[in-house]
């Protein structure tokens, strides 16, 4: 996705541009006699870091705020703002790199409620990457069923239910914006007395992108070392959840030929 702003006079800077759709464009002067002094600037909505240490996406100030983000510093040589989006219950956004959070995160909460957080998908999105800072919900029973708290996704069938404690790992959901243009995260908590909270960074991965995980891979590791942690891997106890059907994939790295 690119964003366009109209800016007086010609620009020399060329912005890095590798958009989903593949249309590449940096700066062009308009010959139109009414706006002859203006250039159209297009910059890549790339990832940036806000001062809080959270990631954001470079958008124009206007579209950042319109989509529920908070402007935190500048990017794209000052044409954009690093837009950090933290979504709460009942909220929806199209902003890439959005944090899905529990009410007043990092505070814990202890009550029964249903919390739906919605991502509006870009038409070019094929996968959604979840970088889980933490999901801390009441754990499953010994059979792995989430009878108390549960997180469900409105697209993909790799995980029918999620609960328990998961920290510092990632997952990929396959999505199809032509079937549904939104991805809902529905957290349902029950009356069990428990301190819950969650934060998940949600990135929309374009269909033509090298960073896409191979189909069916719910986790995709791309470094020579790492730790594989699934849902509820930090749970106490860390029962394996029922209703999971996915592959954990490891990319073969340069000059490597085995996994130890
Ligand atoms: C969302 O951000 C990621 C990470 O920067 C990027 O790879 C991806 O292309 C972006 N998606 C869209 C739809 O722009």
């Amino acid at each position: 996705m690119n964003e366009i702003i109209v800016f007086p006079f010609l620009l020399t800077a060329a912005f890095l541009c590798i958009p989903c759709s593949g249309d590449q464009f940096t700066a062009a002067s308009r010959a139109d006699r009414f706006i002859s002094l203006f250039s159209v600037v297009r910059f890549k909505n790339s990832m940036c870091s806000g001062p809080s240490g959270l990631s954001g996406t470079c958008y124009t100030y206007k579209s950042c705020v319109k989509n529920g983000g908070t402007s935190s510093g500048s990017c794209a040589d000052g044409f954009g703002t690093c837009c950090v989006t933290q979504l709460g219950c009942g909220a929806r956004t199209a902003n890439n790199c959005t944090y899905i959070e529990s009410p007043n995160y990092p505070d814990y909460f202890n009550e029964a409620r249903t919390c739906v957080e919605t991502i509006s998908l870009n038409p070019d999105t094929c996968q959604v990457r979840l970088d889980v800072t933490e999901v801390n919900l009441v754990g499953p029973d010994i059979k792995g069923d989430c009878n108390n708290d549960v997180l469900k996704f409105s697209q993909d069938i790799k995980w029918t239910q999620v609960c328990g404690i998961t920290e510092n790992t990632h997952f990929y959901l396959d999505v199809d914006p032509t079937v549904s243009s939104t991805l809902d995260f529905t957290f349902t908590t029950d009356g069990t007395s428990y301190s819950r909270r969650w934060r998940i960074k949600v990135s929309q991965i374009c269909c033509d992108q090298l960073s896409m995980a191979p189909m069916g891979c719910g986790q995709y590791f791309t470094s020579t070392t790492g730790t594989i942690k699934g849902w509820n891997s930090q749970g106490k106890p860390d029962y394996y959840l029922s209703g999971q059907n996915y592959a954990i994939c490891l990319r073969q790295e340069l000059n490597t030929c085995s996994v130890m």
Side-chain angles (χ1 to χ4, degrees):
M1 240 174 98
N2 288 287
E3 230 156 2
I4 302 173
I5 55 176
V6 176
F7 188 77
F9 309 116
L10 274 173
L11 287 154
T12 48
F15 300 105
L16 184 68
C17 182
I18 318 154
C20 278
S21 48
D23 61 331
Q24 299 206 10
F25 177 64
T26 48
S29 64
R30 295 286 303 266
D32 188 306
R33 68 192 184 106
F34 296 108
I35 53 164
S36 58
L37 293 177
F38 289 76
S39 291
V40 175
V41 175
R42 202 179 265 214
F43 58 88
K44 168 90 178 119
N45 297 130
S46 48
M47 198 157 89
C48 52
S49 322
S52 52
L54 297 182
S55 308
T57 304
C58 192
Y59 290 119
T60 57
Y61 179 82
K62 212 172 136 190
S63 94
C64 172
V65 173
K66 191 185 79 192
N67 278 303
T70 306
S71 151
S72 347
S74 75
C75 53
D77 286 355
F79 292 111
T81 180
C82 185
C83 184
V84 174
T85 312
Q86 292 169 269
L87 216 62
C89 299
R92 166 199 287 245
T93 190
N95 286 350
N96 197 3
C97 273
T98 284
Y99 291 89
I100 295 237
E101 294 181 344
S102 49
N104 305 315
Y105 186 89
D107 292 355
Y108 290 95
F109 76 98
N110 185 356
E111 65 175 310
R113 66 183 292 170
T114 299
C115 172
V116 184
E117 307 191 35
T118 302
I119 300 292
S120 298
L121 299 171
N122 180 299
D124 296 321
T125 299
C126 274
Q127 288 180 337
V128 167
R129 179 180 161 112
L130 310 181
D131 284 287
V132 177
T133 305
E134 69 174 312
V135 170
N136 190 339
L137 298 170
V138 176
D141 67 14
I142 195 165
K143 289 183 294 186
D145 294 335
C146 303
N147 299 318
N148 301 104
D149 292 358
V150 64
L151 160 62
K152 293 189 179 205
F153 311 108
S154 65
Q155 295 204 43
D156 204 343
I157 51 168
K158 293 195 201 83
W159 302 282
T160 55
Q161 48 144 32
V162 168
C163 59
I165 306 174
T166 311
E167 290 168 0
N168 301 321
T169 188
H170 76 268
F171 299 94
Y172 284 87
L173 294 173
D174 291 310
V175 293
D176 187 349
T178 62
V179 174
S180 168
S181 61
T182 56
L183 173 64
D184 291 337
F185 294 76
T186 304
F187 297 85
T188 310
T189 60
D190 77 350
T192 310
S193 180
Y194 186 81
S195 298
R196 304 141 166 104
R197 65 176 183 181
W198 59 82
R199 171 183 273 172
I200 306 172
K201 188 175 90 180
V202 181
S203 312
Q204 302 195 29
I205 309 296
C206 306
C207 301
D208 59 356
Q209 235 178 15
L210 280 171
S211 51
M212 245 180 100
M215 277 300 163
C217 300
Q219 293 185 291
Y220 184 43
F221 294 89
T222 58
S223 62
T224 49
T225 57
T227 309
I228 298 173
K229 292 190 281 184
W231 291 113
N232 196 36
S233 53
Q234 269 79 45
K236 301 174 187 76
D238 59 351
Y239 294 134
Y240 186 80
L241 299 183
S242 60
Q244 307 192 74
N245 184 4
Y246 76 106
I248 298 171
C249 307
L250 309 179
R251 188 177 68 184
Q252 184 175 6
E253 299 304 305
L254 205 61
N255 302 322
T256 61
C257 52
S258 63
V259 177
M260 294 169 64

